[in-house]
């Protein structure tokens, strides 16, 4: 029996003990442990040709059924889509890109994101959500948001757009607590993230990185509210898109905090009207 979404809000953001089950939860509710995240991040494929298959295998490990997994193909783009049905057809997209640049193993950018959305899927899979969730591993982000742009183009009928409520994107955790990437985020969604951090008494910032973008941009340009979370520190350029992008340079506690925060953020938004963030016009 699935538990109501409100019960997930009892998650303790920074203190989920390995293997713990919260009082009152069904045994089927699964929360990521530090040990699990460590093993999953160690397994980051260093070759782009292996990453789609590895992402799909990770979701299977998380309990996804074959019927819920698909690869959306458009031209030379292959986006992995895993569906978690809710009580309504109102849809929320939770995404992260799986591709990498040539340098490094792409463990930070962005296997941290893939691992996080897969674990959020596992946690939500036994929860009665109002919204239907599409967990999307995007292809070719590093070549100019090609995968996310392809998904947006697939929303061919204008009447379908109102049922796509918002999009939550994760790109490069692993250094600090999660931050909002203002360049690619709807202000009102950012306000909700700031309010959650205040509620949890967690230090939280949002900032701009001039000249940078993220997969959420493709949704914003279509009029779909979106937000991107990262976990970068001021030294991030020493690691991303370099040979230093490898497992050994990841702070697992920071990834755990990112998973816990974004999970709670997604859960808190579930009961909101699908039109909630469209009121700002962005």
């Amino acid at each position: 029996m699935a538990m109501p979404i409100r019960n997930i809000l009892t998650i303790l953001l920074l203190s989920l003990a390995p293997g713990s089950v919260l009082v009152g939860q069904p045994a089927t509710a699964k929360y990521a442990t530090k040990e699990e995240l460590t093993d999953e991040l160690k397994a980051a494929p260093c070759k782009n040709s292996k990453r789609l298959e590895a992402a799909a295998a990770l979701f299977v490990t998380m309990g996804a059924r074959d019927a819920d997994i698909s690869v959306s193909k458009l031209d030379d783009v292959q986006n992995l889509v895993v569906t978690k049905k809710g009580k309504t057809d109102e849809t929320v997209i939770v995404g992260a890109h799986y591709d990498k640049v040539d340098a490094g193993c792409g463990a930070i950018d962005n296997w941290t994101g893939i691992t996080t959305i897969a674990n959020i899927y596992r946690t939500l899979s036994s929860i009665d959500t109002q919204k239907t969730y599409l967990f999307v591993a995007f292809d070719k982000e590093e070549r100019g948001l090609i995968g996310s742009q392809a998904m947006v183009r697939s929303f061919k009928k204008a009447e379908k757009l109102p049922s796509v409520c918002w999009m939550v994107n994760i790109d490069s955790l692993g250094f600090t607590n999660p931050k909002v990437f203002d360049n690619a985020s709807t202000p009102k969604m950012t306000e909700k993230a700031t309010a959650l951090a205040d509620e949890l008494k967690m230090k939280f910032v949002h900032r701009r990185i001039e000249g940078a973008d993220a997969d959420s941009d493709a949704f914003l340009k279509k009029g779909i509210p979106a937000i991107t979370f990262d976990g970068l520190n001021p030294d991030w350029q020493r690691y991303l898109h370099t040979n230093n992008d490898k497992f050994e340079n990841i702070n697992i506690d920071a990834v755990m905090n990112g998973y816990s925060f974004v999970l709670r953020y997604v859960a808190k938004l579930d009961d909101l009207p699908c039109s909630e963030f469209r009121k700002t016009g962005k």
Side-chain angles (χ1 to χ4, degrees):
M1 180 176 180
M3 66 175 175
I5 190 72
R6 63 181 180 273
N7 289 3
I8 201 174
L9 299 182
T10 61
I11 294 170
L12 301 177
L13 177 63
L14 302 178
S15 59
L16 287 175
S20 66
V21 177
L22 298 180
V23 175
Q25 290 183 78
T28 53
K30 302 291 186 181
Y31 294 87
T33 67
K34 185 175 178 179
E35 290 77 11
E36 289 172 334
L37 289 176
T38 298
D39 290 342
E40 291 153 11
L41 290 168
K42 278 183 180 178
C46 294
K47 294 183 178 180
N48 261 322
S49 60
K50 302 292 185 181
R51 288 169 82 90
L52 174 60
E53 179 183 358
L58 180 57
F59 273 95
V60 170
T61 299
M62 297 295 165
R65 303 172 303 171
D66 289 346
D68 296 328
I69 301 174
S70 64
V71 176
S72 177
K73 298 180 180 179
L74 181 64
D75 299 327
D76 63 342
V77 171
Q78 296 187 90
N79 292 332
L80 178 71
V81 181
V82 182
T83 302
K84 189 276 179 200
K85 288 292 292 180
K87 294 179 180 178
T88 72
D89 289 330
E90 294 182 339
T91 301
V92 172
I93 296 165
V94 181
H97 72 89
Y98 68 82
D99 65 309
K100 60 178 285 294
V101 298
D102 291 337
C105 270
I108 303 164
D109 184 12
N110 184 32
W111 207 250
T112 56
I114 293 299
T115 297
T116 299
I117 68 168
N119 278 282
I120 291 174
Y121 166 81
R122 181 175 69 164
T123 306
L124 292 183
S125 63
S126 60
I127 293 172
D128 284 325
T129 58
Q130 293 295 322
K131 306 289 191 292
T132 289
Y133 289 85
L134 301 183
F135 292 84
V136 185
F138 292 109
D139 190 9
K140 296 183 171 61
E141 186 268 357
E142 300 290 4
R143 290 172 55 181
L145 314 184
I146 293 174
S148 51
Q149 290 171 353
M151 183 171 200
V152 169
R153 287 200 305 275
S154 73
F155 303 147
K156 295 178 181 179
K157 296 182 179 180
E159 60 267 26
K160 182 178 180 180
L161 288 177
S163 69
V164 181
C165 303
W166 50 79
M167 185 265 191
V168 177
N169 185 52
I170 302 172
D171 197 338
S172 303
L173 302 176
F175 293 124
T176 67
N177 280 345
K179 301 177 181 180
V180 169
F181 180 21
D182 281 351
N183 302 45
S185 300
T186 299
K188 198 169 181 182
M189 292 189 73
T190 297
E191 291 173 10
K192 290 291 186 183
T194 302
L196 174 60
D198 290 344
E199 176 186 327
L200 297 167
K201 296 180 173 56
M202 187 187 89
K203 184 178 180 181
F204 185 78
V205 299
H206 51 96
R207 43 63 187 292
R208 300 182 67 85
I209 302 178
E210 297 303 329
D213 53 22
D215 280 315
S216 53
D217 274 321
F219 293 84
L220 291 176
K221 290 175 181 176
K222 192 69 173 179
I224 299 170
I227 190 169
T228 285
F229 292 98
D230 68 63
L232 301 179
N233 63 13
D235 294 329
W236 66 271
Q237 290 176 305
R238 292 178 50 200
Y239 300 93
L240 269 63
H241 296 189
T242 76
N243 288 331
N244 291 323
D245 189 346
K246 53 187 178 181
F247 168 78
E248 289 77 9
N249 290 322
I250 296 175
N251 180 329
I252 302 297
D253 286 332
V255 179
M256 184 71 181
N257 292 347
Y259 153 74
S260 299
F261 185 85
V262 179
L263 169 61
R264 191 159 184 169
Y265 179 80
V266 169
K268 283 184 75 71
L269 301 188
D270 186 70
D271 286 330
L272 295 179
C274 194
S275 60
E276 177 74 13
F277 300 115
R278 294 179 186 272
K279 297 175 183 177
T280 64
K282 184 178 178 183

